[in-house]
PDB file of all heavy atoms in Angstrom:
ATOM      1  N   ASP A 169       0.705 -28.719   7.570  1.00  0.00           N
ATOM      2  CA  ASP A 169       0.893 -27.529   8.408  1.00  0.00           C
ATOM      3  C   ASP A 169       0.439 -26.248   7.706  1.00  0.00           C
ATOM      4  O   ASP A 169       1.080 -25.195   7.830  1.00  0.00           O
ATOM      5  CB  ASP A 169       2.363 -27.395   8.831  1.00  0.00           C
ATOM      6  CG  ASP A 169       2.872 -28.611   9.592  1.00  0.00           C
ATOM      7  OD1 ASP A 169       2.084 -29.162  10.371  1.00  0.00           O
ATOM      8  OD2 ASP A 169       4.039 -28.991   9.405  1.00  0.00           O
ATOM      9  N   ALA A 170      -0.672 -26.311   6.987  1.00  0.00           N
ATOM     10  CA  ALA A 170      -1.163 -25.153   6.224  1.00  0.00           C
ATOM     11  C   ALA A 170      -1.375 -23.937   7.121  1.00  0.00           C
ATOM     12  O   ALA A 170      -0.991 -22.823   6.757  1.00  0.00           O
ATOM     13  CB  ALA A 170      -2.444 -25.505   5.487  1.00  0.00           C
ATOM     14  N   ALA A 171      -1.983 -24.124   8.291  1.00  0.00           N
ATOM     15  CA  ALA A 171      -2.253 -22.983   9.180  1.00  0.00           C
ATOM     16  C   ALA A 171      -0.954 -22.314   9.628  1.00  0.00           C
ATOM     17  O   ALA A 171      -0.864 -21.084   9.663  1.00  0.00           O
ATOM     18  CB  ALA A 171      -3.086 -23.409  10.385  1.00  0.00           C
ATOM     19  N   GLU A 172       0.063 -23.104   9.943  1.00  0.00           N
ATOM     20  CA  GLU A 172       1.354 -22.535  10.352  1.00  0.00           C
ATOM     21  C   GLU A 172       1.990 -21.757   9.207  1.00  0.00           C
ATOM     22  O   GLU A 172       2.528 -20.665   9.411  1.00  0.00           O
ATOM     23  CB  GLU A 172       2.320 -23.637  10.821  1.00  0.00           C
ATOM     24  CG  GLU A 172       1.963 -24.231  12.163  1.00  0.00           C
ATOM     25  CD  GLU A 172       0.979 -25.402  12.056  1.00  0.00           C
ATOM     26  OE1 GLU A 172       0.511 -25.716  10.934  1.00  0.00           O
ATOM     27  OE2 GLU A 172       0.656 -25.992  13.094  1.00  0.00           O
ATOM     28  N   ARG A 173       1.920 -22.326   8.012  1.00  0.00           N
ATOM     29  CA  ARG A 173       2.539 -21.672   6.859  1.00  0.00           C
ATOM     30  C   ARG A 173       1.814 -20.384   6.497  1.00  0.00           C
ATOM     31  O   ARG A 173       2.440 -19.368   6.185  1.00  0.00           O
ATOM     32  CB  ARG A 173       2.613 -22.643   5.685  1.00  0.00           C
ATOM     33  CG  ARG A 173       3.605 -23.766   6.039  1.00  0.00           C
ATOM     34  CD  ARG A 173       3.906 -24.738   4.964  1.00  0.00           C
ATOM     35  NE  ARG A 173       4.423 -24.121   3.761  1.00  0.00           N
ATOM     36  CZ  ARG A 173       4.405 -24.736   2.586  1.00  0.00           C
ATOM     37  NH1 ARG A 173       3.921 -25.948   2.473  1.00  0.00           N
ATOM     38  NH2 ARG A 173       4.889 -24.130   1.523  1.00  0.00           N
ATOM     39  N   VAL A 174       0.482 -20.402   6.551  1.00  0.00           N
ATOM     40  CA  VAL A 174      -0.291 -19.192   6.267  1.00  0.00           C
ATOM     41  C   VAL A 174      -0.004 -18.138   7.341  1.00  0.00           C
ATOM     42  O   VAL A 174       0.137 -16.955   7.032  1.00  0.00           O
ATOM     43  CB  VAL A 174      -1.803 -19.498   6.153  1.00  0.00           C
ATOM     44  CG1 VAL A 174      -2.621 -18.214   6.092  1.00  0.00           C
ATOM     45  CG2 VAL A 174      -2.078 -20.358   4.916  1.00  0.00           C
ATOM     46  N   THR A 175       0.115 -18.557   8.601  1.00  0.00           N
ATOM     47  CA  THR A 175       0.452 -17.629   9.681  1.00  0.00           C
ATOM     48  C   THR A 175       1.794 -16.960   9.402  1.00  0.00           C
ATOM     49  O   THR A 175       1.935 -15.740   9.564  1.00  0.00           O
ATOM     50  CB  THR A 175       0.482 -18.359  11.042  1.00  0.00           C
ATOM     51  OG1 THR A 175      -0.811 -18.909  11.295  1.00  0.00           O
ATOM     52  CG2 THR A 175       0.875 -17.412  12.165  1.00  0.00           C
ATOM     53  N   GLU A 176       2.777 -17.726   8.977  1.00  0.00           N
ATOM     54  CA  GLU A 176       4.098 -17.173   8.649  1.00  0.00           C
ATOM     55  C   GLU A 176       4.004 -16.139   7.532  1.00  0.00           C
ATOM     56  O   GLU A 176       4.639 -15.083   7.594  1.00  0.00           O
ATOM     57  CB  GLU A 176       5.066 -18.288   8.237  1.00  0.00           C
ATOM     58  CG  GLU A 176       5.483 -19.183   9.378  1.00  0.00           C
ATOM     59  CD  GLU A 176       6.247 -20.413   8.909  1.00  0.00           C
ATOM     60  OE1 GLU A 176       6.611 -20.503   7.709  1.00  0.00           O
ATOM     61  OE2 GLU A 176       6.476 -21.309   9.753  1.00  0.00           O
ATOM     62  N   ILE A 177       3.184 -16.428   6.525  1.00  0.00           N
ATOM     63  CA  ILE A 177       3.005 -15.488   5.406  1.00  0.00           C
ATOM     64  C   ILE A 177       2.352 -14.196   5.898  1.00  0.00           C
ATOM     65  O   ILE A 177       2.790 -13.094   5.563  1.00  0.00           O
ATOM     66  CB  ILE A 177       2.176 -16.134   4.270  1.00  0.00           C
ATOM     67  CG1 ILE A 177       2.964 -17.288   3.630  1.00  0.00           C
ATOM     68  CG2 ILE A 177       1.772 -15.104   3.222  1.00  0.00           C
ATOM     69  CD1 ILE A 177       2.132 -18.183   2.726  1.00  0.00           C
ATOM     70  N   ILE A 178       1.298 -14.334   6.712  1.00  0.00           N
ATOM     71  CA  ILE A 178       0.605 -13.157   7.247  1.00  0.00           C
ATOM     72  C   ILE A 178       1.579 -12.296   8.057  1.00  0.00           C
ATOM     73  O   ILE A 178       1.668 -11.082   7.854  1.00  0.00           O
ATOM     74  CB  ILE A 178      -0.599 -13.571   8.127  1.00  0.00           C
ATOM     75  CG1 ILE A 178      -1.704 -14.197   7.272  1.00  0.00           C
ATOM     76  CG2 ILE A 178      -1.153 -12.366   8.903  1.00  0.00           C
ATOM     77  CD1 ILE A 178      -2.809 -14.875   8.082  1.00  0.00           C
ATOM     78  N   MET A 179       2.320 -12.919   8.966  1.00  0.00           N
ATOM     79  CA  MET A 179       3.249 -12.168   9.811  1.00  0.00           C
ATOM     80  C   MET A 179       4.348 -11.511   8.981  1.00  0.00           C
ATOM     81  O   MET A 179       4.750 -10.378   9.257  1.00  0.00           O
ATOM     82  CB  MET A 179       3.848 -13.081  10.887  1.00  0.00           C
ATOM     83  CG  MET A 179       2.821 -13.649  11.879  1.00  0.00           C
ATOM     84  SD  MET A 179       1.775 -12.395  12.665  1.00  0.00           S
ATOM     85  CE  MET A 179       2.987 -11.541  13.652  1.00  0.00           C
ATOM     86  N   SER A 180       4.794 -12.202   7.949  1.00  0.00           N
ATOM     87  CA  SER A 180       5.817 -11.649   7.054  1.00  0.00           C
ATOM     88  C   SER A 180       5.296 -10.417   6.319  1.00  0.00           C
ATOM     89  O   SER A 180       5.991  -9.404   6.209  1.00  0.00           O
ATOM     90  CB  SER A 180       6.259 -12.737   6.072  1.00  0.00           C
ATOM     91  OG  SER A 180       7.075 -12.199   5.079  1.00  0.00           O
ATOM     92  N   ARG A 181       4.061 -10.497   5.837  1.00  0.00           N
ATOM     93  CA  ARG A 181       3.471  -9.358   5.120  1.00  0.00           C
ATOM     94  C   ARG A 181       3.254  -8.162   6.045  1.00  0.00           C
ATOM     95  O   ARG A 181       3.463  -7.011   5.648  1.00  0.00           O
ATOM     96  CB  ARG A 181       2.145  -9.763   4.453  1.00  0.00           C
ATOM     97  CG  ARG A 181       2.304 -10.707   3.281  1.00  0.00           C
ATOM     98  CD  ARG A 181       2.973 -10.065   2.062  1.00  0.00           C
ATOM     99  NE  ARG A 181       2.349  -8.824   1.662  1.00  0.00           N
ATOM    100  CZ  ARG A 181       1.207  -8.735   0.964  1.00  0.00           C
ATOM    101  NH1 ARG A 181       0.577  -9.813   0.555  1.00  0.00           N
ATOM    102  NH2 ARG A 181       0.703  -7.541   0.677  1.00  0.00           N
ATOM    103  N   ILE A 182       2.841  -8.412   7.286  1.00  0.00           N
ATOM    104  CA  ILE A 182       2.684  -7.316   8.248  1.00  0.00           C
ATOM    105  C   ILE A 182       4.045  -6.662   8.494  1.00  0.00           C
ATOM    106  O   ILE A 182       4.164  -5.434   8.497  1.00  0.00           O
ATOM    107  CB  ILE A 182       2.056  -7.817   9.572  1.00  0.00           C
ATOM    108  CG1 ILE A 182       0.609  -8.251   9.353  1.00  0.00           C
ATOM    109  CG2 ILE A 182       2.126  -6.730  10.650  1.00  0.00           C
ATOM    110  CD1 ILE A 182      -0.011  -8.990  10.539  1.00  0.00           C
ATOM    111  N   ALA A 183       5.084  -7.473   8.658  1.00  0.00           N
ATOM    112  CA  ALA A 183       6.431  -6.942   8.883  1.00  0.00           C
ATOM    113  C   ALA A 183       6.912  -6.117   7.683  1.00  0.00           C
ATOM    114  O   ALA A 183       7.527  -5.054   7.860  1.00  0.00           O
ATOM    115  CB  ALA A 183       7.415  -8.092   9.153  1.00  0.00           C
ATOM    116  N   GLU A 184       6.610  -6.574   6.462  1.00  0.00           N
ATOM    117  CA  GLU A 184       6.980  -5.819   5.263  1.00  0.00           C
ATOM    118  C   GLU A 184       6.300  -4.454   5.229  1.00  0.00           C
ATOM    119  O   GLU A 184       6.921  -3.448   4.918  1.00  0.00           O
ATOM    120  CB  GLU A 184       6.602  -6.601   3.998  1.00  0.00           C
ATOM    121  CG  GLU A 184       7.459  -7.806   3.703  1.00  0.00           C
ATOM    122  CD  GLU A 184       6.897  -8.644   2.564  1.00  0.00           C
ATOM    123  OE1 GLU A 184       6.035  -8.147   1.793  1.00  0.00           O
ATOM    124  OE2 GLU A 184       7.302  -9.810   2.446  1.00  0.00           O
TER     125      GLU A 184
END
Side-chain angles (χ1 to χ4, degrees):
D169 302 323
E172 288 88 356
R173 293 186 57 199
V174 170
T175 299
E176 290 170 9
I177 293 167
I178 291 169
M179 297 307 293
S180 171
R181 290 291 308 282
I182 292 170
E184 288 171 17

